[in-house]
Structures are given as C-alpha cells and as structure tokens.
Amino acid sequence: MTGRPLRSLRDGRVVAVLLVVALAVVVLLNQFAPTRSAYSATVTNSTNSAATAPYFTCGAAALADASGALFAYDLDEAAGSRTAADSSGKNAAGTYQGSMATTANPGACTRDGGTAYTLNGSTSFVSTPRSYANPTTFSEEVWFRTTVAGGLLIGFGSNQVTTSGQHDRQIYVNTAGQLVFGAYNGATQVITSPKAVTDGAWHHVVSTMSPTNGMRLYLDGTLVASNSAFKAPENYTGYFRIGYDTISGWPGAPGNFFFTGQMRYAAVYSTELTATQVANHAAAGR
C-alpha cells in the first residue's frame, strides 16, 4: 500500500517534465518560424509627381528642352483643322496643307491623349510660318508610323509651301523602307538606318547636326548612324517642312515625295539634342 503514492508522485513529475519540454519546443518553433502578418499597406502619391516628371509625356519632353525649340507641334488637332498649334512657347504655329485627317487612340504618346495626324500621301503636309537663315546647329524630331517605302518626314527647303529649289537637312524614307538623313554642301551627304521602318509600328526619329559633331541619326532612342566629318549644310534661308518637299536627286529617293501614314509631335530645335535627351524623348512616347 505504501508504494502507490510514491509511484503517483513519480508519474506526476514525469508529466510535468514532459509539459515543460513541450512548452520549450513550442517557444523555439515560434522563435525561429517565419513571421506572417495580416497587415496590408497602400502607397499613395497624392501630388501625382510621376505625371509631372519632365519626360513623362511627349509634350512634357518637348517642353523640358523647349528653350532651344524653334517650334513643337503636338499634331493632335481635330480632323479638318488648319492650324497646328505650337506648344514650345515660340508662337510659331504651323498650317495644315491639303487633307487633314486624324487617327484615334494612336499607339505613340498614349499618356498625352488625343489623336494622330494622318497624311494621305498626296496632299497632306504642314508648313511653318517663318524662315530661318542657314541653321547650322539643329535637331529635328518626329513620331511616325507608315507601311509605305517613301516620303519626306521633315526637312528644310527654300520655299514655304511650293516645291523648294534648295533643299537639305531632310529625313526621308527611301525605297528600301529605311530612314535617311541628308544634308548638302556641294555634294549630298547621307546617313541611313540599318533597318527598315515600314513595319506599321510607331517609331521615334531624331536627326542632329552641328559644327562639333557633324550628322547623327537616332531611331527609337538609339544612335543608328553618324558622320562626324560632314559638319556644314548648304548656306541658304529656308523653311522647315513636315510631310512633303522635294527629295529629288537624293539616294534612294522615291517617286512620290509625300509621306503616307501617321505623325505625332514634330519639333525642331536650334540646339543639338544629346543622346540622353533623345532617349528620354523616345521613352516619353512609349
């Protein structure tokens, strides 16, 4: 009879030890187990600072470098409009010549909203209001889309509206569908993009020229061709033209000089855009 209480006491101690060990295991597991939380968080940008970044939209990109702009056309007016508004602040609005149609929901500069200018390949182009005396440092910029191998995107000519007798500083699409940037000074000098751009996709092109770096051609934010040896275009007073002027006599020139397709944000600067600026302008439209 005296053995039972001792056995019960011993059993109780075993149970207590087991409970202590189990509790220690639970504590260790909780200490080293991954922490999980039911908390959630929401990030709020109350000032919408992304939308006001210098290169968030095509319009903002042009304004970021507008100190050197001669003009900057959004080309998003309603169909039938005659005036291409100048967003550079230089009061150099252009004039839509011939047919002026539009394309809704373009795939370029989508954050800007609005439509794209549609050129019919026979009468459509934009003329600029004032002449410039022999620009030797400049940058030309256009967003465009086409499936047609041929036509002038932007250039410089001695006449405001009619066919120019003198013409250079031109970006055009050749018969192989490549982009060509050409200047003239006793002989034609051209640089050409390796790839064709007649795939129906939106592309961004910039040409630059200066007495320091010569000729450069950028496509979709990347330098694709250059000629540092040719630094001076032909000396004359002329007008910048968008969508049409003669390119007769230039390498790979098509029979039809009118551009066929859509355009957004055509601009000309009196400065040489840097590679970084060009890349920022291209990214703004994607």
Side-chain angles (χ1 to χ4, degrees):
M1 297 294 293
T2 58
R4 292 180 180 274
L6 291 174
R7 183 176 179 182
S8 298
L9 180 60
R10 187 168 57 251
D11 291 344
R13 289 175 177 174
V14 170
V15 171
V17 170
L18 291 176
L19 289 173
V20 170
V21 171
L23 180 61
V25 170
V26 170
V27 171
L28 289 173
L29 288 175
N30 287 335
Q31 182 176 354
F32 295 103
T35 301
R36 297 183 180 180
S37 173
Y39 294 112
S40 62
T42 301
V43 177
T44 302
N45 179 7
S46 59
T47 61
N48 196 22
S49 58
T52 58
Y55 296 103
F56 185 71
T57 64
C58 293
L63 287 175
D65 303 306
S67 60
L70 300 179
F71 60 81
Y73 300 153
D74 297 351
L75 302 179
D76 63 350
E77 282 78 17
S81 298
R82 304 322 304 169
T83 300
D86 176 20
S87 60
S88 73
K90 302 301 174 61
N91 297 316
T95 301
Y96 290 106
Q97 305 288 345
S99 172
M100 194 288 177
T102 61
T103 299
N105 304 314
C109 305
T110 55
R111 289 186 294 274
D112 294 85
T115 59
Y117 173 37
T118 299
L119 297 86
N120 64 4
S122 60
T123 64
S124 305
F125 69 100
V126 178
S127 60
T128 54
R130 64 188 63 156
S131 61
Y132 301 91
N134 189 35
T136 57
T137 298
F138 61 90
S139 303
E140 299 168 311
E141 175 180 33
V142 182
W143 278 94
F144 71 96
R145 178 175 66 174
T146 188
T147 58
V148 177
L152 176 78
L153 285 166
I154 190 168
F156 191 67
S158 56
N159 285 301
Q160 184 179 23
V161 177
T162 59
T163 302
S164 295
Q166 293 171 284
H167 50 95
D168 75 335
R169 303 161 173 89
Q170 296 178 308
I171 306 174
Y172 62 93
V173 183
N174 67 15
T175 53
Q178 299 162 293
L179 282 179
V180 180
F181 172 43
Y184 179 85
N185 195 343
T188 57
Q189 299 287 335
V190 298
I191 52 179
T192 305
S193 68
K195 296 182 179 180
V197 293
T198 51
D199 54 3
W202 280 98
H203 294 288
H204 176 253
V205 60
V206 171
S207 66
T208 67
M209 191 170 187
S210 75
T212 302
N213 296 312
M215 303 171 66
R216 293 180 175 177
L217 179 64
Y218 297 85
L219 177 60
D220 297 329
T222 300
L223 181 67
V224 295
S226 63
N227 181 351
S228 60
F230 193 76
K231 301 179 179 181
E234 187 175 9
N235 185 351
Y236 65 97
T237 296
Y239 300 82
F240 285 96
R241 306 272 297 263
I242 301 165
Y244 167 73
D245 200 354
T246 181
I247 41 181
S248 177
W250 290 86
N256 181 15
F257 305 142
F258 283 93
F259 176 78
T260 305
Q262 289 81 40
M263 288 187 180
R264 292 291 305 268
Y265 285 95
V268 174
Y269 306 82
S270 61
T271 57
E272 180 184 17
L273 294 180
T274 67
T276 298
Q277 288 173 316
V278 172
N280 286 338
H281 284 216
R286 297 299 183 190

